[in-house]
Amino acid sequence: MSRRTVEDNRMTEEQITGVDSTSATASGVEDVQAESNVPGGTSNVSPEEYDRLKSERDALVDRLARLQAEFDNARKREARERNEFRDYAVSGAVEQFLPVLDNFHLALKSNGSAEQLRTGVELIVKQMEEALKSLNVQPVETVGATFDPRVHEALDTVDRSDLPDHQVFEEVRRGYRIKERLLRPALVRIVNNSQQKEA
C-alpha cells in the first residue's frame, strides 16, 4: 500500500468519526479532571472521603483564624502590659524625687543667709543621693582610681610627678551606674606622670 493510500485512509477515519485524535485526548483529560473534582465522580475518592476531607479542611481553616486572632490579642496585651510596667517604673522613680523637689521649692522661698542656703542645698543633695541609692543608682568611683575608659571620660590631663600615671586626679562631673549598667561616664582629669613613662 502506498504512502498516499495510508494518509487517505487516516483522513477517512477522522471524517467518519467526526473527531480528531488531539481534541479527543484533551476532552478525555478534562472529563477525568472534572470527575475527580466532583463528589460521586469516577475518581478514587469516595463521596464520604471527600466530605470528611472538606470538613477537616474547614476545621483547620477555622483553627488557623482563631490562632491568628489569639496571636493578635496576645501581642496587643503584651504591648499594653509593657506600657503599664514602664509607667509604673517611672512613677516609682518620680515618687522618690518629689520630696527633693519640695525642698528645692522651700529653699527658693527662704530668706536666710547665703550660708544657710548652702547648708539647705547640701541637705537636698544628700536627700537626692539617698533617693538615687534607693533606685540602685551608684556613683562611679573617680578620684584616686585608675582611669578606666569604660566608665571614665577624660577631659584633660594634669602633670604630676608625685601621683601614679593615669590616676584620676579630679572629678568634673559625676558618673552613675545602675547595678552593672553605666548610665553616664564620669568626666575627669587624669594624671600625666612623664617620669613613670620613662621608667
Side-chain angles (χ1 to χ4, degrees):
M1 189 180 287
S2 68
R3 182 174 177 181
R4 174 89 177 156
T5 308
V6 171
E7 289 176 357
D8 289 342
N9 287 341
R10 185 178 302 148
M11 186 168 45
T12 305
E13 289 174 7
E14 289 176 359
Q15 289 172 347
I16 292 170
T17 59
V19 179
D20 66 353
S21 58
T22 307
S23 62
T25 306
S27 175
V29 170
E30 289 172 359
D31 290 344
V32 170
Q33 288 175 344
E35 287 173 355
S36 66
N37 290 333
V38 177
T42 59
S43 69
N44 294 334
V45 179
S46 66
E48 294 81 12
E49 182 71 8
Y50 177 84
D51 291 339
R52 186 186 68 77
L53 291 173
K54 185 173 182 291
S55 64
E56 186 177 322
R57 182 206 62 188
D58 293 343
L60 288 172
V61 169
D62 181 62
R63 184 178 176 196
L64 180 63
R66 288 176 186 272
L67 287 173
Q68 181 67 40
E70 287 176 12
F71 176 77
D72 289 340
N73 290 338
R75 185 174 48 80
K76 291 174 184 174
R77 184 171 58 251
E78 189 270 336
R80 185 175 64 250
E81 288 174 355
R82 187 172 61 243
N83 289 335
E84 288 174 358
F85 178 76
R86 186 188 61 216
D87 293 343
Y88 177 77
V90 169
S91 66
V94 169
E95 189 179 359
Q96 301 290 328
F97 289 98
L98 291 179
V100 178
L101 185 61
D102 293 338
N103 287 333
F104 271 121
H105 285 303
L106 289 173
L108 289 173
K109 293 177 183 177
S110 170
N111 293 325
S113 64
E115 187 60 33
Q116 290 172 329
L117 184 60
R118 180 181 176 81
T119 302
V121 171
E122 287 173 350
L123 290 173
I124 293 172
V125 168
K126 186 176 181 183
Q127 186 181 21
M128 185 169 244
E129 287 174 345
E130 289 296 322
L132 288 172
K133 189 175 180 181
S134 70
L135 296 170
N136 292 318
V137 178
Q138 301 290 334
V140 172
E141 185 183 3
T142 53
V143 178
T146 302
F147 176 76
D148 183 351
R150 295 173 297 178
V151 293
H152 299 140
E153 185 178 333
L155 180 64
D156 58 15
T157 59
V158 178
D159 292 326
R160 294 286 296 262
S161 58
D162 58 331
L163 294 173
D165 192 45
H166 280 87
Q167 178 177 298
V168 176
F169 175 73
E170 181 184 359
E171 179 184 83
V172 179
R173 185 195 67 196
R174 187 167 290 184
Y176 292 95
R177 67 175 69 194
I178 180 165
K179 294 184 178 177
E180 298 303 317
R181 180 172 173 247
L182 184 70
L183 295 176
R184 76 172 187 191
L187 192 60
V188 296
R189 290 187 173 91
I190 61 174
V191 173
N192 177 34
N193 189 334
S194 57
Q195 293 179 359
Q196 275 191 346
K197 289 178 181 177
E198 291 172 2

